[in-house]
Amino acid sequence: MTSTSTAYDVAAVRADFPALRAGAAHFDGPGGSQVPRQVAEAVAATLTAPIANRGRLTEAERNADDVVLGARAAVADLVGGDPGGVVFGRSMTQLTYDLSRVLAAGWGPGDEVVVTRLDHDANVRPWVQAAAARGATVRWADLDPATGELTPEALAAVLSDRTRLVAVTGASNLIGTRPDVPALTALAHEAGALTYVDGVHLTAHAPVDVAALGADLYACSPYKFLGPHLGCVVAAPSLLETLRPDKLLPSTDAVPERFELGTLPYEMLAGTTAAVDYLAALAGAGGAGDRRARLLAGMAAVEAHEDRLRERVEEGLAELPGVTLWSRARHRTPTLLLTWADRPAAEVSRALAGRGVNAPAGSFYAIEASRALGLGDAGGLRVGLAPYSDDVDVDRLLEGLRAAG
Ligand SMILES: Cc1ncc(COP(=O)(O)O)c(C=O)c1O
């Protein structure tokens, strides 16, 4: 099948991704996306211009400072946050561990923290371990394995006036489920709890507004949305002011720097800004106004493009015998988890890889979700769509699956 007419110019997008010239059809985006040359160029430009520690005296100092401030502004625009509340770190996992220890400092026996069986382990285990260290209790909000949904009822069942924090995902990296986050966070807030929303998977696939989501803290990772390998957390500066992480004596106590240990990776921050600018440019002719407005339009265009391809994949899968599709939630990202009645998903993944179709198998660290679905620790084959996915990729995937079947 050839491309149907859409305003979204996927051929132009693909031309920006040098990695695609290697020829693989990439369905591995949920693990980390490919990167446009604009991002790589921004990384290189930062490393080849004068660079020093942040300051305003020399050009080298100003370059470092501008890169940091620029990246905070870019991420804030992407998710509708406050640049003064954007914290950068090595990864979402590292930041979540750091913040879990800081937040848990005020917990004790009798306090409760809620985690879910839909979440990636990076938004589960840090909270479980922080709670254990403080003698606090962990409550689990269950995933419905039949529907793939995490409902407000499932959360309400484990909330109490002792709940201090609810950690929940914006979207599942395993099965794509997008729970009703505003409803979940409203329940958490009614109970007097803070909310920590894992936006790592969601941010790559949809327009995001942290205030509308009700996320007190919102985590994401630029390498999932066409950027370099690092993580960030966005929160209100007034909330961050109340938290006291361990830090070096001479390092600044200002927010958000107080959470950023040591020197930031300036080149990755420049790449992050370039990735955000790239997403804003995907709005094309529909992109008017400031960068925030263009990002909302650009991400809406990405969502529509990926959804159209997802429907094509689903139509193709429906004709394949012996395949179970676990991505069933009403509202979800274009991330499909498949298993086969008569063979391990890893075998199918290997067969696809032999045809240049990259779709990995596993539980992708969403181990609680994989177990809740009855898939143990093996999980399934994950097919993820990205802004650079096209109809030819989908054709290659479906041909590969037919051949494997
Ligand atoms: C939903 C989700 N949360 C968290 C993470 C962990 O992110 P990081 O690699 O930045 O620690 C991932 C990575 O795959 C993810 O998909």
Side-chain angles (χ1 to χ4, degrees):
M1 175 171 162
T2 52
S3 183
T4 56
S5 71
T6 71
Y8 186 85
D9 188 352
V10 69
V13 169
R14 289 176 69 82
D16 285 332
F17 286 73
L20 297 182
R21 289 182 213 137
H26 283 274
F27 293 97
D28 48 6
S33 60
Q34 304 305 303
V35 174
R37 67 179 163 73
Q38 290 87 339
V39 169
E41 285 166 6
V43 172
T46 305
L47 291 172
T48 48
I51 193 84
N53 286 331
R54 290 177 70 185
R56 299 306 305 175
L57 183 60
T58 66
E59 181 188 358
E61 288 176 359
R62 284 193 297 276
N63 282 345
D65 199 41
D66 289 347
V67 156
V68 175
L69 297 175
R72 295 204 206 285
V75 170
D77 277 350
L78 181 64
V79 303
D82 182 328
V86 176
V87 180
F88 288 107
R90 193 176 68 73
S91 63
M92 178 275 186
T93 303
Q94 177 249 306
L95 286 167
T96 305
Y97 261 115
D98 285 354
L99 284 161
S100 69
R101 293 190 199 101
V102 180
L103 284 159
W107 303 346
D111 287 329
E112 297 180 358
V113 55
V114 173
V115 293
T116 91
R117 296 210 194 273
L118 184 63
D119 272 81
H120 185 288
D121 216 50
N123 202 29
V124 174
R125 220 56 54 188
W127 305 114
V128 169
Q129 292 165 357
R134 295 279 159 186
T137 302
V138 176
R139 302 257 178 251
W140 292 85
D142 276 328
L143 155 71
D144 178 349
T147 61
E149 302 280 6
L150 172 74
T151 61
E153 293 72 31
L155 177 63
V158 292
L159 282 174
S160 79
D161 57 4
R162 293 178 302 278
T163 311
R164 302 294 302 273
L165 180 125
V166 172
V168 65
T169 194
S172 161
N173 65 310
L174 187 68
I175 53 175
T177 302
R178 289 179 61 179
D180 184 350
V181 177
L184 298 172
T185 55
L187 286 171
H189 289 149
E190 270 165 40
L194 276 178
T195 57
Y196 191 96
V197 176
D198 177 357
V200 173
H201 187 64
L202 178 65
T203 312
H205 297 290
V208 170
D209 183 333
V210 286
L213 289 173
D216 295 316
L217 298 119
Y218 184 87
C220 58
S221 299
Y223 76 97
K224 308 283 190 182
F225 57 79
L226 316 182
H229 295 86
L230 74 163
C232 40
V233 167
V234 182
S238 56
L239 170 61
L240 297 178
E241 289 287 356
T242 65
L243 303 175
R244 299 262 145 219
D246 286 338
K247 60 172 276 301
L248 302 184
L249 186 61
S251 70
T252 176
D253 196 33
V255 164
E257 283 82 358
R258 119 178 11 154
F259 298 89
E260 297 172 326
L261 305 179
T263 307
L264 285 170
Y266 302 128
E267 60 279 9
M268 313 262 239
L269 298 185
T272 299
T273 302
V276 170
D277 285 335
Y278 191 86
L279 293 171
L282 293 180
D290 61 11
R291 182 169 57 189
R292 171 71 181 151
R294 284 181 283 118
L295 279 162
L296 292 174
M299 290 311 298
V302 166
E303 196 175 20
H305 169 73
E306 292 180 349
D307 269 348
R308 185 182 70 76
L309 293 178
R310 170 177 64 80
E311 281 164 20
R312 274 207 60 212
V313 174
E314 286 175 0
E315 281 160 23
L317 290 174
E319 289 164 13
L320 292 177
V323 183
T324 302
L325 172 61
W326 295 90
S327 303
R328 301 166 180 164
R330 196 181 46 82
H331 197 200
R332 56 196 161 84
T333 62
T335 301
L336 304 175
L337 187 76
L338 312 174
T339 57
W340 279 257
D342 58 351
R343 83 206 63 179
E347 198 179 292
V348 180
S349 177
R350 248 192 317 277
L352 289 174
R355 306 169 67 99
V357 175
N358 298 3
S363 63
F364 307 101
Y365 282 28
I367 195 152
E368 298 291 345
S370 184
R371 290 176 182 173
L373 292 171
L375 300 176
D377 296 357
L381 182 95
R382 185 174 66 181
V383 173
L385 296 165
Y388 45 78
S389 303
D390 71 358
D391 283 288
V392 175
D393 287 342
V394 171
D395 291 339
R396 289 175 68 186
L397 171 75
L398 293 174
E399 276 159 31
L401 290 175
R402 275 182 220 113

mmCIF file with all atom_site columns, all heavy atoms in Angstrom, residues 272-297:
data_model
loop_
_atom_site.group_PDB
_atom_site.id
_atom_site.type_symbol
_atom_site.label_atom_id
_atom_site.label_alt_id
_atom_site.label_comp_id
_atom_site.label_asym_id
_atom_site.label_entity_id
_atom_site.label_seq_id
_atom_site.pdbx_PDB_ins_code
_atom_site.Cartn_x
_atom_site.Cartn_y
_atom_site.Cartn_z
_atom_site.occupancy
_atom_site.B_iso_or_equiv
_atom_site.pdbx_formal_charge
_atom_site.auth_seq_id
_atom_site.auth_comp_id
_atom_site.auth_asym_id
_atom_site.auth_atom_id
_atom_site.pdbx_PDB_model_num
ATOM 1   N N   . THR A 1 272 ? 18.402 18.422 23.322 1.00 0.00 ? 272 THR A N   1
ATOM 2   C CA  . THR A 1 272 ? 17.014 18.369 23.792 1.00 0.00 ? 272 THR A CA  1
ATOM 3   C C   . THR A 1 272 ? 16.217 19.544 23.228 1.00 0.00 ? 272 THR A C   1
ATOM 4   O O   . THR A 1 272 ? 15.088 19.372 22.743 1.00 0.00 ? 272 THR A O   1
ATOM 5   C CB  . THR A 1 272 ? 16.990 18.395 25.341 1.00 0.00 ? 272 THR A CB  1
ATOM 6   O OG1 . THR A 1 272 ? 17.688 17.249 25.815 1.00 0.00 ? 272 THR A OG1 1
ATOM 7   C CG2 . THR A 1 272 ? 15.570 18.402 25.878 1.00 0.00 ? 272 THR A CG2 1
ATOM 8   N N   . THR A 1 273 ? 16.808 20.722 23.274 1.00 0.00 ? 273 THR A N   1
ATOM 9   C CA  . THR A 1 273 ? 16.121 21.898 22.705 1.00 0.00 ? 273 THR A CA  1
ATOM 10  C C   . THR A 1 273 ? 15.872 21.684 21.216 1.00 0.00 ? 273 THR A C   1
ATOM 11  O O   . THR A 1 273 ? 14.780 21.980 20.710 1.00 0.00 ? 273 THR A O   1
ATOM 12  C CB  . THR A 1 273 ? 16.972 23.167 22.930 1.00 0.00 ? 273 THR A CB  1
ATOM 13  O OG1 . THR A 1 273 ? 17.189 23.315 24.331 1.00 0.00 ? 273 THR A OG1 1
ATOM 14  C CG2 . THR A 1 273 ? 16.277 24.398 22.376 1.00 0.00 ? 273 THR A CG2 1
ATOM 15  N N   . ALA A 1 274 ? 16.859 21.139 20.531 1.00 0.00 ? 274 ALA A N   1
ATOM 16  C CA  . ALA A 1 274 ? 16.696 20.902 19.087 1.00 0.00 ? 274 ALA A CA  1
ATOM 17  C C   . ALA A 1 274 ? 15.584 19.882 18.826 1.00 0.00 ? 274 ALA A C   1
ATOM 18  O O   . ALA A 1 274 ? 14.820 20.017 17.862 1.00 0.00 ? 274 ALA A O   1
ATOM 19  C CB  . ALA A 1 274 ? 18.012 20.423 18.486 1.00 0.00 ? 274 ALA A CB  1
ATOM 20  N N   . ALA A 1 275 ? 15.471 18.877 19.694 1.00 0.00 ? 275 ALA A N   1
ATOM 21  C CA  . ALA A 1 275 ? 14.397 17.886 19.520 1.00 0.00 ? 275 ALA A CA  1
ATOM 22  C C   . ALA A 1 275 ? 13.031 18.536 19.715 1.00 0.00 ? 275 ALA A C   1
ATOM 23  O O   . ALA A 1 275 ? 12.088 18.274 18.958 1.00 0.00 ? 275 ALA A O   1
ATOM 24  C CB  . ALA A 1 275 ? 14.579 16.717 20.503 1.00 0.00 ? 275 ALA A CB  1
ATOM 25  N N   . VAL A 1 276 ? 12.931 19.379 20.726 1.00 0.00 ? 276 VAL A N   1
ATOM 26  C CA  . VAL A 1 276 ? 11.659 20.073 20.966 1.00 0.00 ? 276 VAL A CA  1
ATOM 27  C C   . VAL A 1 276 ? 11.332 20.983 19.782 1.00 0.00 ? 276 VAL A C   1
ATOM 28  O O   . VAL A 1 276 ? 10.188 21.011 19.295 1.00 0.00 ? 276 VAL A O   1
ATOM 29  C CB  . VAL A 1 276 ? 11.721 20.858 22.300 1.00 0.00 ? 276 VAL A CB  1
ATOM 30  C CG1 . VAL A 1 276 ? 10.516 21.775 22.451 1.00 0.00 ? 276 VAL A CG1 1
ATOM 31  C CG2 . VAL A 1 276 ? 11.806 19.889 23.479 1.00 0.00 ? 276 VAL A CG2 1
ATOM 32  N N   . ASP A 1 277 ? 12.332 21.702 19.292 1.00 0.00 ? 277 ASP A N   1
ATOM 33  C CA  . ASP A 1 277 ? 12.092 22.564 18.128 1.00 0.00 ? 277 ASP A CA  1
ATOM 34  C C   . ASP A 1 277 ? 11.676 21.727 16.915 1.00 0.00 ? 277 ASP A C   1
ATOM 35  O O   . ASP A 1 277 ? 10.838 22.147 16.118 1.00 0.00 ? 277 ASP A O   1
ATOM 36  C CB  . ASP A 1 277 ? 13.354 23.379 17.792 1.00 0.00 ? 277 ASP A CB  1
ATOM 37  C CG  . ASP A 1 277 ? 13.564 24.518 18.780 1.00 0.00 ? 277 ASP A CG  1
ATOM 38  O OD1 . ASP A 1 277 ? 12.581 24.978 19.391 1.00 0.00 ? 277 ASP A OD1 1
ATOM 39  O OD2 . ASP A 1 277 ? 14.722 24.945 18.945 1.00 0.00 ? 277 ASP A OD2 1
ATOM 40  N N   . TYR A 1 278 ? 12.271 20.537 16.801 1.00 0.00 ? 278 TYR A N   1
ATOM 41  C CA  . TYR A 1 278 ? 11.907 19.671 15.673 1.00 0.00 ? 278 TYR A CA  1
ATOM 42  C C   . TYR A 1 278 ? 10.434 19.245 15.774 1.00 0.00 ? 278 TYR A C   1
ATOM 43  O O   . TYR A 1 278 ? 9.698  19.285 14.786 1.00 0.00 ? 278 TYR A O   1
ATOM 44  C CB  . TYR A 1 278 ? 12.817 18.433 15.645 1.00 0.00 ? 278 TYR A CB  1
ATOM 45  C CG  . TYR A 1 278 ? 12.667 17.656 14.365 1.00 0.00 ? 278 TYR A CG  1
ATOM 46  C CD1 . TYR A 1 278 ? 13.406 17.984 13.243 1.00 0.00 ? 278 TYR A CD1 1
ATOM 47  C CD2 . TYR A 1 278 ? 11.740 16.606 14.273 1.00 0.00 ? 278 TYR A CD2 1
ATOM 48  C CE1 . TYR A 1 278 ? 13.243 17.307 12.046 1.00 0.00 ? 278 TYR A CE1 1
ATOM 49  C CE2 . TYR A 1 278 ? 11.576 15.922 13.079 1.00 0.00 ? 278 TYR A CE2 1
ATOM 50  C CZ  . TYR A 1 278 ? 12.328 16.275 11.977 1.00 0.00 ? 278 TYR A CZ  1
ATOM 51  O OH  . TYR A 1 278 ? 12.148 15.608 10.785 1.00 0.00 ? 278 TYR A OH  1
ATOM 52  N N   . LEU A 1 279 ? 10.008 18.885 16.968 1.00 0.00 ? 279 LEU A N   1
ATOM 53  C CA  . LEU A 1 279 ? 8.604  18.481 17.151 1.00 0.00 ? 279 LEU A CA  1
ATOM 54  C C   . LEU A 1 279 ? 7.671  19.657 16.864 1.00 0.00 ? 279 LEU A C   1
ATOM 55  O O   . LEU A 1 279 ? 6.599  19.483 16.273 1.00 0.00 ? 279 LEU A O   1
ATOM 56  C CB  . LEU A 1 279 ? 8.383  17.958 18.574 1.00 0.00 ? 279 LEU A CB  1
ATOM 57  C CG  . LEU A 1 279 ? 9.099  16.643 18.903 1.00 0.00 ? 279 LEU A CG  1
ATOM 58  C CD1 . LEU A 1 279 ? 8.984  16.324 20.397 1.00 0.00 ? 279 LEU A CD1 1
ATOM 59  C CD2 . LEU A 1 279 ? 8.532  15.482 18.076 1.00 0.00 ? 279 LEU A CD2 1
ATOM 60  N N   . ALA A 1 280 ? 8.094  20.858 17.263 1.00 0.00 ? 280 ALA A N   1
ATOM 61  C CA  . ALA A 1 280 ? 7.256  22.044 17.002 1.00 0.00 ? 280 ALA A CA  1
ATOM 62  C C   . ALA A 1 280 ? 7.119  22.278 15.499 1.00 0.00 ? 280 ALA A C   1
ATOM 63  O O   . ALA A 1 280 ? 6.051  22.666 15.014 1.00 0.00 ? 280 ALA A O   1
ATOM 64  C CB  . ALA A 1 280 ? 7.854  23.271 17.682 1.00 0.00 ? 280 ALA A CB  1
ATOM 65  N N   . ALA A 1 281 ? 8.203  21.988 14.767 1.00 0.00 ? 281 ALA A N   1
ATOM 66  C CA  . ALA A 1 281 ? 8.165  22.216 13.322 1.00 0.00 ? 281 ALA A CA  1
ATOM 67  C C   . ALA A 1 281 ? 7.274  21.203 12.609 1.00 0.00 ? 281 ALA A C   1
ATOM 68  O O   . ALA A 1 281 ? 6.842  21.431 11.473 1.00 0.00 ? 281 ALA A O   1
ATOM 69  C CB  . ALA A 1 281 ? 9.581  22.168 12.750 1.00 0.00 ? 281 ALA A CB  1
ATOM 70  N N   . LEU A 1 282 ? 6.960  20.087 13.266 1.00 0.00 ? 282 LEU A N   1
ATOM 71  C CA  . LEU A 1 282 ? 6.094  19.075 12.632 1.00 0.00 ? 282 LEU A CA  1
ATOM 72  C C   . LEU A 1 282 ? 4.665  19.577 12.479 1.00 0.00 ? 282 LEU A C   1
ATOM 73  O O   . LEU A 1 282 ? 3.858  18.957 11.781 1.00 0.00 ? 282 LEU A O   1
ATOM 74  C CB  . LEU A 1 282 ? 6.104  17.775 13.450 1.00 0.00 ? 282 LEU A CB  1
ATOM 75  C CG  . LEU A 1 282 ? 7.441  17.032 13.466 1.00 0.00 ? 282 LEU A CG  1
ATOM 76  C CD1 . LEU A 1 282 ? 7.342  15.769 14.309 1.00 0.00 ? 282 LEU A CD1 1
ATOM 77  C CD2 . LEU A 1 282 ? 7.884  16.699 12.049 1.00 0.00 ? 282 LEU A CD2 1
ATOM 78  N N   . ALA A 1 283 ? 4.362  20.693 13.114 1.00 0.00 ? 283 ALA A N   1
ATOM 79  C CA  . ALA A 1 283 ? 3.039  21.287 12.918 1.00 0.00 ? 283 ALA A CA  1
ATOM 80  C C   . ALA A 1 283 ? 2.868  21.713 11.469 1.00 0.00 ? 283 ALA A C   1
ATOM 81  O O   . ALA A 1 283 ? 1.746  21.820 10.983 1.00 0.00 ? 283 ALA A O   1
ATOM 82  C CB  . ALA A 1 283 ? 2.871  22.489 13.850 1.00 0.00 ? 283 ALA A CB  1
ATOM 83  N N   . GLY A 1 284 ? 3.983  21.959 10.754 1.00 0.00 ? 284 GLY A N   1
ATOM 84  C CA  . GLY A 1 284 ? 3.915  22.358 9.350  1.00 0.00 ? 284 GLY A CA  1
ATOM 85  C C   . GLY A 1 284 ? 3.085  23.609 9.194  1.00 0.00 ? 284 GLY A C   1
ATOM 86  O O   . GLY A 1 284 ? 3.150  24.540 10.010 1.00 0.00 ? 284 GLY A O   1
ATOM 87  N N   . ALA A 1 285 ? 2.226  23.597 8.164  1.00 0.00 ? 285 ALA A N   1
ATOM 88  C CA  . ALA A 1 285 ? 1.416  24.781 7.887  1.00 0.00 ? 285 ALA A CA  1
ATOM 89  C C   . ALA A 1 285 ? 0.423  25.053 9.012  1.00 0.00 ? 285 ALA A C   1
ATOM 90  O O   . ALA A 1 285 ? -0.039 26.177 9.191  1.00 0.00 ? 285 ALA A O   1
ATOM 91  C CB  . ALA A 1 285 ? 0.684  24.600 6.560  1.00 0.00 ? 285 ALA A CB  1
ATOM 92  N N   . GLY A 1 286 ? 0.089  24.005 9.783  1.00 0.00 ? 286 GLY A N   1
ATOM 93  C CA  . GLY A 1 286 ? -0.869 24.177 10.884 1.00 0.00 ? 286 GLY A CA  1
ATOM 94  C C   . GLY A 1 286 ? -0.238 24.814 12.108 1.00 0.00 ? 286 GLY A C   1
ATOM 95  O O   . GLY A 1 286 ? -0.892 24.994 13.131 1.00 0.00 ? 286 GLY A O   1
ATOM 96  N N   . GLY A 1 287 ? 1.038  25.156 12.031 1.00 0.00 ? 287 GLY A N   1
ATOM 97  C CA  . GLY A 1 287 ? 1.741  25.623 13.224 1.00 0.00 ? 287 GLY A CA  1
ATOM 98  C C   . GLY A 1 287 ? 1.894  27.126 13.284 1.00 0.00 ? 287 GLY A C   1
ATOM 99  O O   . GLY A 1 287 ? 2.825  27.669 12.718 1.00 0.00 ? 287 GLY A O   1
ATOM 100 N N   . ALA A 1 288 ? 0.966  27.787 13.952 1.00 0.00 ? 288 ALA A N   1
ATOM 101 C CA  . ALA A 1 288 ? 1.096  29.230 14.135 1.00 0.00 ? 288 ALA A CA  1
ATOM 102 C C   . ALA A 1 288 ? 1.325  29.500 15.615 1.00 0.00 ? 288 ALA A C   1
ATOM 103 O O   . ALA A 1 288 ? 1.115  28.629 16.448 1.00 0.00 ? 288 ALA A O   1
ATOM 104 C CB  . ALA A 1 288 ? -0.170 29.929 13.653 1.00 0.00 ? 288 ALA A CB  1
ATOM 105 N N   . GLY A 1 289 ? 1.758  30.719 15.906 1.00 0.00 ? 289 GLY A N   1
ATOM 106 C CA  . GLY A 1 289 ? 1.864  31.135 17.299 1.00 0.00 ? 289 GLY A CA  1
ATOM 107 C C   . GLY A 1 289 ? 3.224  30.813 17.900 1.00 0.00 ? 289 GLY A C   1
ATOM 108 O O   . GLY A 1 289 ? 4.193  30.537 17.188 1.00 0.00 ? 289 GLY A O   1
ATOM 109 N N   . ASP A 1 290 ? 3.281  30.823 19.207 1.00 0.00 ? 290 ASP A N   1
ATOM 110 C CA  . ASP A 1 290 ? 4.548  30.599 19.895 1.00 0.00 ? 290 ASP A CA  1
ATOM 111 C C   . ASP A 1 290 ? 4.908  29.106 19.889 1.00 0.00 ? 290 ASP A C   1
ATOM 112 O O   . ASP A 1 290 ? 4.146  28.270 19.396 1.00 0.00 ? 290 ASP A O   1
ATOM 113 C CB  . ASP A 1 290 ? 4.508  31.168 21.322 1.00 0.00 ? 290 ASP A CB  1
ATOM 114 C CG  . ASP A 1 290 ? 3.434  30.512 22.184 1.00 0.00 ? 290 ASP A CG  1
ATOM 115 O OD1 . ASP A 1 290 ? 2.854  29.486 21.761 1.00 0.00 ? 290 ASP A OD1 1
ATOM 116 O OD2 . ASP A 1 290 ? 3.166  31.025 23.287 1.00 0.00 ? 290 ASP A OD2 1
ATOM 117 N N   . ARG A 1 291 ? 6.070  28.785 20.442 1.00 0.00 ? 291 ARG A N   1
ATOM 118 C CA  . ARG A 1 291 ? 6.527  27.391 20.361 1.00 0.00 ? 291 ARG A CA  1
ATOM 119 C C   . ARG A 1 291 ? 5.572  26.436 21.064 1.00 0.00 ? 291 ARG A C   1
ATOM 120 O O   . ARG A 1 291 ? 5.341  25.323 20.595 1.00 0.00 ? 291 ARG A O   1
ATOM 121 C CB  . ARG A 1 291 ? 7.940  27.258 20.916 1.00 0.00 ? 291 ARG A CB  1
ATOM 122 C CG  . ARG A 1 291 ? 8.473  25.811 20.798 1.00 0.00 ? 291 ARG A CG  1
ATOM 123 C CD  . ARG A 1 291 ? 9.939  25.703 21.085 1.00 0.00 ? 291 ARG A CD  1
ATOM 124 N NE  . ARG A 1 291 ? 10.255 26.207 22.397 1.00 0.00 ? 291 ARG A NE  1
ATOM 125 C CZ  . ARG A 1 291 ? 11.507 26.385 22.849 1.00 0.00 ? 291 ARG A CZ  1
ATOM 126 N NH1 . ARG A 1 291 ? 12.537 26.093 22.084 1.00 0.00 ? 291 ARG A NH1 1
ATOM 127 N NH2 . ARG A 1 291 ? 11.719 26.863 24.066 1.00 0.00 ? 291 ARG A NH2 1
ATOM 128 N N   . ARG A 1 292 ? 5.005  26.853 22.176 1.00 0.00 ? 292 ARG A N   1
ATOM 129 C CA  . ARG A 1 292 ? 4.050  25.988 22.879 1.00 0.00 ? 292 ARG A CA  1
ATOM 130 C C   . ARG A 1 292 ? 2.865  25.653 21.955 1.00 0.00 ? 292 ARG A C   1
ATOM 131 O O   . ARG A 1 292 ? 2.455  24.495 21.870 1.00 0.00 ? 292 ARG A O   1
ATOM 132 C CB  . ARG A 1 292 ? 3.573  26.695 24.165 1.00 0.00 ? 292 ARG A CB  1
ATOM 133 C CG  . ARG A 1 292 ? 2.428  26.012 24.890 1.00 0.00 ? 292 ARG A CG  1
ATOM 134 C CD  . ARG A 1 292 ? 2.869  24.720 25.557 1.00 0.00 ? 292 ARG A CD  1
ATOM 135 N NE  . ARG A 1 292 ? 1.752  24.056 26.225 1.00 0.00 ? 292 ARG A NE  1
ATOM 136 C CZ  . ARG A 1 292 ? 1.660  22.745 26.406 1.00 0.00 ? 292 ARG A CZ  1
ATOM 137 N NH1 . ARG A 1 292 ? 2.615  21.929 25.976 1.00 0.00 ? 292 ARG A NH1 1
ATOM 138 N NH2 . ARG A 1 292 ? 0.636  22.236 27.028 1.00 0.00 ? 292 ARG A NH2 1
ATOM 139 N N   . ALA A 1 293 ? 2.349  26.659 21.279 1.00 0.00 ? 293 ALA A N   1
ATOM 140 C CA  . ALA A 1 293 ? 1.209  26.416 20.380 1.00 0.00 ? 293 ALA A CA  1
ATOM 141 C C   . ALA A 1 293 ? 1.622  25.503 19.234 1.00 0.00 ? 293 ALA A C   1
ATOM 142 O O   . ALA A 1 293 ? 0.878  24.581 18.851 1.00 0.00 ? 293 ALA A O   1
ATOM 143 C CB  . ALA A 1 293 ? 0.674  27.747 19.844 1.00 0.00 ? 293 ALA A CB  1
ATOM 144 N N   . ARG A 1 294 ? 2.828  25.728 18.703 1.00 0.00 ? 294 ARG A N   1
ATOM 145 C CA  . ARG A 1 294 ? 3.289  24.873 17.594 1.00 0.00 ? 294 ARG A CA  1
ATOM 146 C C   . ARG A 1 294 ? 3.546  23.446 18.064 1.00 0.00 ? 294 ARG A C   1
ATOM 147 O O   . ARG A 1 294 ? 3.310  22.487 17.336 1.00 0.00 ? 294 ARG A O   1
ATOM 148 C CB  . ARG A 1 294 ? 4.537  25.492 16.946 1.00 0.00 ? 294 ARG A CB  1
ATOM 149 C CG  . ARG A 1 294 ? 4.176  26.688 16.059 1.00 0.00 ? 294 ARG A CG  1
ATOM 150 C CD  . ARG A 1 294 ? 5.380  27.313 15.383 1.00 0.00 ? 294 ARG A CD  1
ATOM 151 N NE  . ARG A 1 294 ? 6.129  28.141 16.329 1.00 0.00 ? 294 ARG A NE  1
ATOM 152 C CZ  . ARG A 1 294 ? 7.394  27.918 16.706 1.00 0.00 ? 294 ARG A CZ  1
ATOM 153 N NH1 . ARG A 1 294 ? 8.065  26.898 16.215 1.00 0.00 ? 294 ARG A NH1 1
ATOM 154 N NH2 . ARG A 1 294 ? 7.990  28.701 17.582 1.00 0.00 ? 294 ARG A NH2 1
ATOM 155 N N   . LEU A 1 295 ? 4.001  23.309 19.298 1.00 0.00 ? 295 LEU A N   1
ATOM 156 C CA  . LEU A 1 295 ? 4.213  21.950 19.836 1.00 0.00 ? 295 LEU A CA  1
ATOM 157 C C   . LEU A 1 295 ? 2.891  21.206 19.975 1.00 0.00 ? 295 LEU A C   1
ATOM 158 O O   . LEU A 1 295 ? 2.809  20.006 19.661 1.00 0.00 ? 295 LEU A O   1
ATOM 159 C CB  . LEU A 1 295 ? 4.899  22.027 21.198 1.00 0.00 ? 295 LEU A CB  1
ATOM 160 C CG  . LEU A 1 295 ? 6.420  22.213 21.122 1.00 0.00 ? 295 LEU A CG  1
ATOM 161 C CD1 . LEU A 1 295 ? 6.973  22.706 22.439 1.00 0.00 ? 295 LEU A CD1 1
ATOM 162 C CD2 . LEU A 1 295 ? 7.089  20.902 20.705 1.00 0.00 ? 295 LEU A CD2 1
ATOM 163 N N   . LEU A 1 296 ? 1.878  21.903 20.461 1.00 0.00 ? 296 LEU A N   1
ATOM 164 C CA  . LEU A 1 296 ? 0.572  21.231 20.598 1.00 0.00 ? 296 LEU A CA  1
ATOM 165 C C   . LEU A 1 296 ? 0.085  20.773 19.227 1.00 0.00 ? 296 LEU A C   1
ATOM 166 O O   . LEU A 1 296 ? -0.405 19.646 19.072 1.00 0.00 ? 296 LEU A O   1
ATOM 167 C CB  . LEU A 1 296 ? -0.447 22.170 21.262 1.00 0.00 ? 296 LEU A CB  1
ATOM 168 C CG  . LEU A 1 296 ? -0.167 22.492 22.746 1.00 0.00 ? 296 LEU A CG  1
ATOM 169 C CD1 . LEU A 1 296 ? -1.153 23.537 23.265 1.00 0.00 ? 296 LEU A CD1 1
ATOM 170 C CD2 . LEU A 1 296 ? -0.233 21.217 23.608 1.00 0.00 ? 296 LEU A CD2 1
ATOM 171 N N   . ALA A 1 297 ? 0.264  21.637 18.216 1.00 0.00 ? 297 ALA A N   1
ATOM 172 C CA  . ALA A 1 297 ? -0.160 21.262 16.859 1.00 0.00 ? 297 ALA A CA  1
ATOM 173 C C   . ALA A 1 297 ? 0.737  20.164 16.300 1.00 0.00 ? 297 ALA A C   1
ATOM 174 O O   . ALA A 1 297 ? 0.256  19.205 15.664 1.00 0.00 ? 297 ALA A O   1
ATOM 175 C CB  . ALA A 1 297 ? -0.141 22.494 15.955 1.00 0.00 ? 297 ALA A CB  1
#
